[in-house]
Amino acid sequence: MNHKKLIWQIFPPNLLITFVAMLAVSWYGSASLQKLYIEQLGSALQARAYLIRDRVSQLMADDRLDDLREFCRKSGREALTRITVIDRSGRVMADSNEDVNVMELHNDRPEILDALKGQTGTSIRLSRTLQENMLYVAVPLQWHGGNAGVKGDLASPVSGALRVAVPVTAIERALRNARMKIALGAFVVIFAAALVTLVVSRRISRPLEEMKQCALRYSRGDFSRRMSLHLGGSVSLEVATLAASMDRMAEQLNERIETIVRQRNELEAVFASMAEAVLAVDTDKRVISLNKAAAAIFSVDEKQAPGRLLQEVVRNIDLQRQVKQILANLEPLQDEIILLYGESERFLQTSGVPLHDGSGRNIGVLVVMNDVTRLRRLENVRRDFVANVSHELKTPITSIKGYVETLLDGAMDNREDSARFLKIIVKQTNQLYAIIEDLLSLSRIEKLSENKEVELSIGNLHQILAEAVQTCQMKASEKNIRISLHCPEELRANMNATMLEQAVVNLVVNAIKYSEVESEVIVSAEEKTQDDGIGRVVISVQDFGVGIAKKHLPRLFERFYRSDKARSRKLGGTGLGLSIVKHIAQIHGGDVSVQSQEGQGSRFFISLPVATDQSDSKA
Ligand code: ADP
């Protein structure tokens, strides 16, 4: 748009109006002046004509043409006026300046025509005779008798015309002078008017210019300067009111912007600190924003994702489908997506809602995602556990049921068979008992650990290990296995004595179980500084038995995991022993590990934090 400055909208039209007005006034003034001059001169000439008319009429009536001519010449000279006498036919009878004999007929002159009709005639024109601009005034003449010229017609009262004339050159000069003065005056007025207009338009436009600058500052968000303070006291009421209103508007705007910024910051803080991943997408499926949690889950840059297409940011078909569905139905949607990270999976529970702007128009979708991977894993573990427990219990129970039915079906009558079957039933019952015992231990330990109710205290480790060895001595003797103990007498650990003894017993029992007869089991403990520079008390139980294949090692401490199922069952194993050891180690703030080689033996480690005097605590 081509907008002019205010000063250029006020100044030129004002100047034009003044100019036109002055032109009109000057023209009208000078025309009136001219008219007035001519009228006055005309009246003066008429008066002169009337003064000499009677004399001229008399001379004409007496037919004294020579006297008439002399009179005209003399009077004309004295009054600086040309005097001409014309008879009814237009013939010049006398003239003050010219010889009448050379003069043409004057019956076509307008003033003379008027005079011959009995009126006073006036005319301004170039005199053909004198070659000068003249004002002519002619009055009618009446005479009777005599023979000069055409005799007066008695029927007509007009016998001829007396014409007086003066040159108008002087008047024209005077008029020119007057016009010059008027023009000069007009010029001065126009100049003064231009000056005043300029000053006034500047006074109007300057505060508006100030207001414009101020408004521009407001539009840039700078509300530091107030408009009304910069205008001064000379501005008009309207401008001052407008400035005050704009200041009020700016103040409100500033307050609103501050409120919006504060609210946005609060929202951003909430958004960023949310544990749930939040993702907002517009109707074109471009990311509007996402929080830290979402950026971490999808491994994208939180700052670079906005503006990019959802499919570029999150390569997940299900999420795209859900967003599409919400955009289409404009209904909230609860669902789930699975993200793949190489081998592992992450389960996200999604809750999407359509986003609306202030006028209720849909502007996109907001998806909140909850990582339920841990929950899912726990569910799976629980499900697997129930299946495993059922399976573990089913085997001995099926066996017991089978033998009891066989006995009832008649095998009872055979004493030898009955004894054999009953022995098997006892063994299976023991197995059941062992499983239930281990399950109860495990659940008790888990419960204590969850509730952080396990009492830990600093105690002598040697004593605990010696008691554990003592407990297993019977089993070892059955296979003629020697158990040796290597532990500094004074070695202390922060522990729950009963639980730690149970863990060591479990390891030693396994070592005996999976060793050949007449073998050896070494139980040892020492304080070690690990690679990370942290001191640890490490208990180790080593055997030289069957060993464990490498592939089983990672899962060995899982519940019911057995590297050799048949052997474990045969030996009355429950598959829970190592799991209990792992839990006990964890309660102590430690961990378990294993080194083993098939056919050569295994070595299990329980590593505990070093005991300090302040270590008495609840785990
Ligand atoms: P189980 O009651 O079957 O021994 P554990 O949880 O104690 O159950 O042990 C899990 C599995 O680890 C066992 O079934 C066995 O296959 C293997 N295992 C444990 N200790 C040893 C060991 N000292 N030597 C060889 N294999 C072992």
Side-chain angles (χ1 to χ4, degrees):
M1 270 191 288
N2 190 16
H3 290 305
K4 274 194 218 150
K5 286 188 102 179
L6 185 67
I7 190 163
W8 295 119
Q9 288 191 331
I10 298 174
F11 185 61
N14 257 2
L15 205 63
L16 189 72
I17 290 168
T18 316
F19 184 76
V20 170
M22 286 323 293
L23 206 68
V25 168
S26 308
W27 179 82
Y28 183 74
S30 72
S32 303
L33 203 63
Q34 186 178 16
K35 197 170 161 225
L36 188 75
Y37 258 122
I38 300 292
E39 269 172 13
Q40 283 211 335
L41 194 62
S43 308
L45 279 179
Q46 201 176 357
R48 278 179 220 173
Y50 283 139
L51 274 178
I52 58 168
R53 184 165 72 164
D54 286 347
R55 177 83 179 132
V56 171
S57 298
Q58 190 58 54
L59 289 172
M60 281 301 288
D62 298 345
D63 210 8
R64 290 161 56 193
L65 281 180
D66 287 336
D67 290 344
L68 177 68
R69 285 173 189 152
E70 185 51 37
F71 172 73
C72 286
R73 251 197 301 279
K74 193 165 165 267
S75 308
R77 208 170 31 245
E78 280 166 2
L80 293 175
T81 308
R82 183 180 173 192
I83 301 168
T84 315
V85 181
I86 300 119
D87 73 1
R88 275 189 64 191
S89 62
R91 197 149 52 92
V92 179
M93 306 305 295
D95 191 278
S96 58
N97 295 36
E98 293 295 321
D99 179 5
V100 294
N101 299 318
V102 297
M103 287 176 74
E104 59 188 33
L105 269 182
H106 269 47
N107 56 353
D108 57 346
R109 308 295 198 266
E111 70 280 2
I112 291 180
L113 286 174
D114 284 346
L116 291 179
K117 281 182 205 148
Q119 295 156 2
T120 304
T122 307
S123 170
I124 296 176
R125 64 172 190 284
L126 189 72
S127 155
R128 269 177 258 165
T129 324
L130 298 175
Q131 289 303 313
E132 216 177 343
N133 256 346
M134 305 284 282
L135 172 64
Y136 298 97
V137 173
V139 293
L141 279 178
Q142 287 173 322
W143 65 82
H144 307 287
N147 51 11
V150 177
K151 290 283 179 284
D153 183 351
L154 285 177
S156 159
V158 181
S159 319
L162 166 66
R163 186 180 77 172
V164 285
V166 284
V168 288
T169 334
I171 300 175
E172 276 174 351
R173 206 178 308 120
L175 271 175
R176 244 200 320 277
N177 249 341
R179 275 200 202 106
M180 275 299 288
K181 278 181 189 151
I182 290 173
L184 200 72
F187 182 73
V188 170
V189 169
I190 289 174
F191 184 74
L195 217 64
V196 171
T197 311
L198 195 69
V199 171
V200 169
S201 43
R202 272 189 161 281
R203 272 185 71 169
I204 296 173
S205 72
R206 197 182 48 78
L208 292 177
E209 182 66 27
E210 280 282 344
M211 285 171 74
K212 185 188 92 182
Q213 296 299 341
C214 228
L216 280 176
R217 274 199 302 278
Y218 289 166
S219 72
R220 286 196 299 267
D222 173 11
F223 297 101
S224 58
R225 293 168 66 176
R226 287 283 167 266
M227 217 175 250
S228 41
L229 296 179
H230 289 84
L231 294 182
S234 60
V235 293
S236 64
L237 179 67
E238 289 86 346
V239 171
T241 316
L242 179 65
S245 310
M246 287 197 63
D247 279 348
R248 247 194 329 278
M249 197 178 77
E251 231 162 77
Q252 284 170 1
L253 200 66
N254 194 14
E255 269 170 28
R256 273 184 206 171
I257 289 173
E258 274 173 8
T259 311
I260 289 168
V261 167
R262 200 184 55 245
Q263 284 175 347
R264 195 195 59 195
N265 289 348
E266 284 169 7
L267 272 179
E268 268 178 8
V270 171
F271 192 54
S273 57
M274 272 173 82
E276 288 85 3
V278 184
L279 176 77
V281 183
D282 67 13
T283 46
D284 295 331
K285 299 197 199 89
R286 285 185 186 278
V287 174
I288 301 171
S289 65
L290 75 176
N291 69 350
K292 271 203 184 71
I297 284 184
F298 300 126
S299 316
V300 292
D301 189 332
E302 191 188 342
K303 298 267 177 318
Q304 280 172 8
R308 287 169 59 198
L309 281 171
L310 176 65
Q311 65 208 49
E312 289 173 30
V313 178
V314 186
R315 297 194 183 279
N316 187 288
I317 289 264
D318 287 332
L319 185 65
Q320 283 157 31
R321 179 185 48 77
Q322 288 167 24
V323 166
K324 200 170 155 190
Q325 194 175 331
I326 297 167
L327 280 175
N329 300 343
L330 297 179
E331 295 274 344
L333 180 72
Q334 314 268 345
D335 211 328
E336 221 176 78
I337 58 170
I338 301 169
L339 296 178
L340 290 174
Y341 292 86
E343 294 281 284
S344 65
E345 289 176 329
R346 254 174 121 165
F347 296 87
L348 298 181
Q349 201 175 50
T350 60
S351 170
V353 286
L355 278 177
H356 299 291
D357 65 6
S359 55
R361 203 166 46 95
N362 175 243
I363 52 164
V365 172
L366 183 82
V367 188
V368 179
M369 287 159 280
N370 235 326
D371 191 345
V372 290
T373 314
R374 224 175 84 83
L375 215 67
R376 271 296 146 83
R377 285 207 185 118
L378 280 177
E379 272 171 20
N380 286 343
V381 167
R382 220 167 279 271
R383 214 172 23 239
D384 290 352
F385 180 69
V386 171
N388 283 335
V389 169
S390 317
H391 181 74
E392 291 297 330
L393 294 178
K394 201 175 161 194
T395 314
I397 285 172
T398 313
S399 174
I400 291 167
K401 187 173 173 255
Y403 284 110
V404 169
E405 279 169 1
T406 314
L407 283 172
L408 289 176
D409 283 351
M412 252 191 323
D413 301 336
N414 183 328
R415 214 180 139 68
E416 223 171 276
D417 279 350
S418 320
R420 193 160 54 87
F421 290 166
L422 282 173
K423 267 186 199 157
I424 296 172
I425 289 171
V426 168
K427 196 182 163 206
Q428 294 297 342
T429 312
N430 284 341
Q431 174 73 1
L432 263 183
Y433 184 77
I435 291 173
I436 289 166
E437 265 291 280
D438 278 356
L439 277 174
L440 285 174
S441 297
L442 201 59
S443 100
R444 197 177 58 243
I445 292 167
E446 267 182 351
K447 201 170 166 207
L448 288 172
S449 145
E450 267 171 27
N451 297 344
K452 305 210 183 307
E453 280 175 354
V454 181
E455 295 275 354
L456 297 182
S457 59
I458 294 175
N460 187 302
L461 193 59
H462 183 272
Q463 197 184 331
I464 301 294
L465 296 185
E467 278 168 20
V469 168
Q470 185 60 44
T471 310
C472 301
Q473 206 61 60
M474 271 265 288
K475 273 201 165 81
S477 322
E478 281 169 16
K479 288 178 86 174
N480 215 2
I481 289 173
R482 193 163 57 88
I483 307 175
S484 52
L485 174 62
H486 305 277
C487 175
E489 296 262 334
E490 72 288 355
L491 188 59
R492 291 151 72 81
N494 190 31
M495 60 189 171
N496 179 298
T498 322
M499 283 188 175
L500 194 61
E501 190 185 326
Q502 187 185 350
V504 176
V505 167
N506 279 6
L507 290 179
V508 176
V509 167
N510 276 355
I512 295 168
K513 243 189 321 193
Y514 300 107
S515 288
E516 300 301 327
V517 287
E518 297 187 347
S519 167
E520 187 185 9
V521 171
I522 305 168
V523 178
S524 62
E526 59 180 333
E527 196 175 318
K528 274 186 183 172
T529 305
Q530 289 184 324
D531 299 343
D532 52 16
I534 299 170
R536 295 245 148 189
V537 173
V538 180
I539 304 165
S540 120
V541 176
Q542 186 177 13
D543 66 70
F544 304 92
V546 293
I548 307 156
K550 210 171 176 174
K551 62 174 181 183
H552 298 299
L553 296 181
R555 299 191 59 193
L556 206 62
F557 295 94
E558 286 176 19
R559 291 169 214 188
F560 297 117
Y561 190 85
R562 294 173 170 106
S563 57
D564 186 341
K565 279 198 179 106
R567 191 195 297 264
S568 165
R569 290 241 166 77
K570 200 175 124 215
L571 297 171
T574 61
L576 292 169
L578 287 182
S579 181
I580 292 172
V581 174
K582 186 176 101 179
H583 270 87
I584 291 175
Q586 283 173 349
I587 282 174
H588 285 81
D591 53 49
V592 286
S593 57
V594 59
Q595 291 171 353
S596 182
Q597 220 162 3
E598 227 175 340
Q600 297 202 3
S602 319
R603 193 171 179 188
F604 286 83
F605 300 92
I606 298 175
S607 146
L608 305 175
V610 170
T612 56
D613 288 341
Q614 293 92 40
S615 322
D616 271 17
S617 61
K618 275 192 175 182

